[in-house]
Amino acid sequence: MTIFEYHDATKHHYHRSARSLGYMDWTNQPEPFRHYEGRSPISLPLLEDDPDGGYPDLYLRNKNPEKPFGLKNVAGFLELSLGLSAWKGVPGSRWSLRINPSSGNLHPSEAHLILPSIKGLDSGVYHYNSFLHTIEPRAILSPDLWDKIMRHFHTPGFLIGISSIFWRESWKYGERAFRYCNHDAGHALACLSFSANLFGWKVIYLNALSDDDIRTVLGFDKAQWPHMEEEHPDFLCYVFQFSQMPASRNLSEAILKDFAELDFFGTPNTLSPDHFNWEMIDLAGRRTKKPKTESFELSLKNTPPFFTETIPDLTASRIIRQRRSATGFDPNGFITQEQFIAMLDKTLPRMNIAPFDVELSPACVHLLLFVHNVEGLKKGLYFFFRNEEDQDIIRSLTQVDFLWQTVREGFPLYFLQAGNFRKVAARVSCYQEIAGDSIFSLGMIAKFRDPIESHPYNYRNLFWETGMIGQVLYLEAESHGLRGTGIGCFFDDAVHDILGLSDNRFQSLYHFTVGKHIEDRRIKTLPPYYHIERKRQN
Ligand SMILES: Cc1cc2nc3c(=O)[nH]c(=O)nc-3n(C[C@H](O)[C@H](O)[C@H](O)COP(=O)(O)O)c2cc1C
């Protein structure tokens, strides 16, 4: 099976969904939190005061003071990227939400850190437990190894890696779950980049490493994984103070060798009593395994942002904390053209602007927009290019009668076709009303065949890129008093038919919707860490 075959087999069609159990196997529902048993975890302090950067400081890096890499700040960085955001409950049921969203709230992404020695804390490899806001020691690094890492990067900082537990998603979504794990990893990457920004730090993707290198560094090859609950490496990043760019996007062979010789401890907990083995997911993982590659630096554009609209005077951390997925929209919601353009503009990669300056890969994903209610814009279909070089090919591959009218001089948004697309948008998003009742919804159209044919691991990168765009849109929606929702369930080829795409040079990989949300007042909310604050106080 090639990764193209995986992709085709996991498309939803109007009359046939991608293979899954088709019912909820509640007895085997995976535990939402992983922990490593064996060594005493280290409790992280919760933020007493959030960083005071305003919402624009989330993108523009110049105002956030550079903080030292103390435990308090590392803890704050984790709390505002991958920590809990709230508990929700109805009589008889309670569930937690996190700063990072996840398909079905199943959270396949896990985080591991490689930290320097910080006041009483050994330099080592740690797993982040977001439920208890603790880090669990998994290996101790010698001062010599940490020195080597510092000399390698030429600037102080620490490493953070994200991995995926496929079973968490495949339990519910079957074979399509590999896609969702990668969306979630992309959301997590954007969360790390935004949160780092608030501490005056920056996150950079170490693009030369192979998946096996990451497995070595995180000790995955030595872990005693419970059956089918292995963590698969996604990426490793370096976190550093913004003004001091590291000298490398790689780890030297000498450093990798030292990690290979470390003793790792801690046993990963078992998540489910039994599993359904979706073999296609493991195959997809194997087909997209990343080898070592040449290290590269992306030269992102330095064009000034179009951020002209006024946004409420809210702190960045407040927006990060209040982010939620909408479950219903008031179809009367609207925004101005100015707001719409500012929102799209934030999804463009630019030098020194989060989150795309993590330098994952050149932009490959564009937006097909269903505009339902934007003041000053005709209702209808629009296309937003996130890179210039795909413009001609996309125009040549799509419907001949599209208008391609410029909306605003110098801004890569084009009007294609007038019409009320509310029903169409909902229908292609698996009949989900949130895609039709919103202000706008969209499909993320990725350059697909060529990047994957040359490097199959790009399949995962493309999904990460879509997750990052989704995270920007989530925060943008909140900052405008609106709400967004990522949409992983859509009828792939039905979207391609709207555009007129007839082959796999471009594919729709993820949907998103933004609107005026309707709160479900039956659901009660509790603070994110009320359960441990009480325990720590006693
Ligand atoms: C990749 C991805 C796909 C999602 N797909 C859908 C979807 O198809 N329909 C939906 O209503 N919500 C969808 N969601 C929203 C999740 O259900 C939501 O993130 C999760 O329940 C956690 O809630 P929160 O976002 O409010 O923290 C998706 C989220 C992500 C990240």
Side-chain angles (χ1 to χ4, degrees), residues 443-473:
M444 299 190 197
I445 309 296
K447 178 153 58 184
F448 192 76
R449 189 181 68 194
D450 290 353
I452 297 170
E453 226 162 40
S454 49
H455 301 295
Y457 63 82
N458 275 333
Y459 185 74
R460 289 155 63 203
N461 283 47
L462 290 175
F463 279 87
W464 298 345
E465 186 180 340
T466 62
M468 295 181 77
I469 298 170
Q471 194 61 25
V472 171
L473 292 171

Side-chain angles (χ1 to χ4, degrees), residues 7 10-11 176 179-180 182-183 364-366 442-449 451-452 458-467 469 486-492 495-496 501 504-512:
H7 190 70
T10 55
K11 284 180 174 173
R176 199 168 160 102
R179 298 173 175 217
Y180 297 158
N182 285 295
H183 283 313
C364 282
V365 179
H366 311 283
L442 57 91
M444 299 190 197
I445 309 296
K447 178 153 58 184
F448 192 76
R449 189 181 68 194
I452 297 170
N458 275 333
Y459 185 74
R460 289 155 63 203
N461 283 47
L462 290 175
F463 279 87
W464 298 345
E465 186 180 340
T466 62
I469 298 170
I487 298 184
C489 186
F490 56 88
F491 299 117
D492 303 61
V495 185
H496 303 145
L501 296 175
N504 70 349
R505 275 178 279 182
F506 288 83
Q507 295 278 280
S508 179
L509 299 187
Y510 189 24
H511 284 201
F512 204 89

Side-chain angles (χ1 to χ4, degrees), residues 425-443:
R427 187 168 69 228
V428 297
S429 286
C430 296
Y431 298 100
Q432 298 188 73
E433 287 175 357
I434 47 170
D437 290 343
S438 55
I439 294 169
F440 67 92
S441 62
L442 57 91

Side-chain angles (χ1 to χ4, degrees), residues 101-103 105 183-184 323-325 432 485-489 510:
S102 166
S103 186
N105 202 22
H183 283 313
D184 282 13
R323 183 213 62 78
R324 299 280 182 279
S325 292
Q432 298 188 73
T485 303
I487 298 184
C489 186
Y510 189 24

Side-chain angles (χ1 to χ4, degrees), residues 365-434:
V365 179
H366 311 283
L367 310 180
L368 168 68
L369 294 137
F370 303 99
V371 173
H372 305 316
N373 211 5
V374 175
E375 211 176 62
L377 275 191
K378 282 189 206 134
K379 296 182 197 329
L381 265 193
Y382 289 75
F383 203 90
F384 183 60
F385 288 104
R386 291 182 63 257
N387 73 32
E388 270 169 27
E389 59 273 17
D390 289 342
Q391 294 214 12
D392 290 345
I393 176 88
I394 286 186
R395 283 175 188 236
S396 74
L397 291 175
T398 50
Q399 308 280 10
V400 283
D401 51 358
F402 281 161
L403 298 170
W404 295 106
Q405 278 172 5
T406 305
V407 173
R408 178 83 61 102
E409 212 43 58
F411 193 64
L413 174 67
Y414 296 88
F415 175 57
L416 303 184
Q417 191 181 327
N420 180 341
F421 279 85
R422 286 191 189 272
K423 280 199 180 128
V424 175
R427 187 168 69 228
V428 297
S429 286
C430 296
Y431 298 100
Q432 298 188 73
E433 287 175 357
I434 47 170

